[in-house]
Amino acid sequence: MEIREHYYHSLDSTNNEAKKQAENHCLEGTVISAGRQTAGRGRRGHDWETPQDEAIATSMVLYPRVPLERLPGLTLLAAVAVRRAVSGLYGLEGQIKWPNDIVLKNKKICGILTEMSVKDQQAAYVVVGIGVNVHNRGFSEELADKATSIDLELPDGRKADCGALRRKIWEEFVSCYETFARDQNLEFIRKEYDRWLVNRDRTVRVLDPAGPWEGIARGIGSGGELLVETEEGLRPVDSGEVSVRGLYGYV
Ligand code: BTN
């Protein structure tokens, strides 16, 4: 699959523009990136800030022929791709907060928002949107103890390169996506994902709409579900339905 990037100085949201282009049947692998977002969106209806040229905002259009229930796996692939890219280019070993935040020293550097349009029980298209804090030097009061950026974590005042990082992220993502499209499961990255899972073997609180409960996170299943050990055995937690919190602070 060829990666074709369209770069904009400013957009409301790269996911919005990618969705527009998908509605017009753009090619798979079309990437929409922007130097700034004026209405960036996060998960669960949150806003996502992308100040001009400080952070990466980038989204890819996909037309996966994978059963709907397997599609949440795409978000986990994106997390692995960002982790690999940041490690490969800058030697920073990020961890993954299931399902899809990348953290450095327990603070978030990356968020992922996957959106799709469904027709006849199939995805008409999927947009995978990635936001990475790169040059940010400070954050709002609300985020100050939860977020960091790559530059803040690099030694000796080194600065990361947004363009190189975007390219590496999407190269890693496409390589994972091609295997996922063939295998239709996450078995091939499960070990790698679990190795970097920040909550692994720690107690987590599952904010289940049916009532919160606690257990020990043990890793992911081949569908991307988090496997949480309780007295009754391993309980799979589906990323679409619940959110998971560590007991102490953000992770
Ligand atoms: C989250 O952690 O809540 C997910 C944040 C996702 C942000 C990215 S930035 C690029 C793309 N465009 C958006 O409007 N959101 C995603």
Side-chain angles (χ1 to χ4, degrees), residues 10-242:
S10 174
L11 281 176
D12 57 349
S13 150
T14 55
N15 267 29
N16 291 356
E17 180 61 27
K19 286 200 268 185
K20 264 186 231 157
Q21 301 214 7
E23 299 281 355
N24 290 326
H25 311 285
C26 66
L27 289 169
E28 184 168 56
T30 297
V31 169
I32 307 296
S33 304
R36 172 171 92 117
Q37 294 186 118
T38 53
R41 288 179 291 108
R43 282 163 43 98
R44 299 172 202 288
H46 288 121
D47 294 338
W48 181 265
E49 285 174 32
T50 309
Q52 188 76 55
D53 301 327
E54 286 194 8
I56 285 177
T58 186
S59 306
M60 181 181 272
V61 176
L62 302 167
Y63 304 108
R65 274 183 253 140
V66 172
L68 274 186
E69 67 276 11
R70 291 282 165 175
L71 290 176
L74 290 172
T75 312
L76 281 76
L77 296 184
V80 167
V82 174
R83 210 216 73 78
R84 282 186 190 170
V86 172
S87 161
L89 288 178
Y90 303 113
L92 296 172
E93 300 297 356
Q95 288 182 293
I96 305 173
K97 179 179 178 287
W98 182 87
N100 53 16
D101 290 352
I102 304 297
V103 301
L104 285 171
K105 295 198 198 129
N106 291 344
K107 290 182 172 185
K108 177 162 167 169
I109 56 156
C110 164
I112 297 162
L113 179 67
T114 301
E115 299 182 286
M116 64 184 81
S117 160
V118 177
K119 255 191 216 119
D120 305 327
Q121 293 301 309
Q122 270 217 321
Y125 63 80
V126 176
V127 167
V128 176
I130 298 178
V132 188
N133 302 330
V134 180
H135 303 310
N136 316 55
R137 288 271 151 206
F139 294 90
S140 62
E141 203 180 311
E142 187 200 341
L143 294 179
D145 57 342
K146 296 195 197 99
T148 187
S149 70
I150 296 186
D151 285 2
L152 283 173
E153 301 304 325
L154 278 173
D156 311 323
R158 274 177 67 200
K159 286 186 88 188
D161 175 334
C162 288
L165 185 55
R166 281 200 313 271
R167 275 191 295 283
K168 182 85 175 139
I169 288 171
W170 289 124
E171 275 167 26
E172 292 288 356
F173 178 81
V174 166
S175 125
C176 289
Y177 176 67
E178 287 174 344
T179 310
F180 177 70
R182 186 194 66 209
D183 296 359
Q184 315 228 325
N185 68 56
L186 296 177
E187 212 49 59
F188 71 104
I189 50 147
R190 206 170 145 176
K191 272 212 183 87
E192 179 180 353
Y193 190 97
D194 285 353
R195 170 166 181 213
W196 300 107
L197 183 61
V198 70
N199 283 126
R200 189 166 186 200
D201 299 330
R202 294 206 217 159
T203 301
V204 291
R205 187 171 172 78
V206 179
L207 304 178
D208 194 326
W213 51 276
E214 282 174 19
I216 301 172
R218 292 301 188 197
I220 57 161
S222 60
E225 65 281 16
L226 184 69
L227 302 173
V228 179
E229 191 177 304
T230 66
E231 280 173 6
E232 293 92 57
L234 278 185
R235 276 178 73 173
V237 176
D238 187 340
S239 64
E241 291 164 19
V242 294

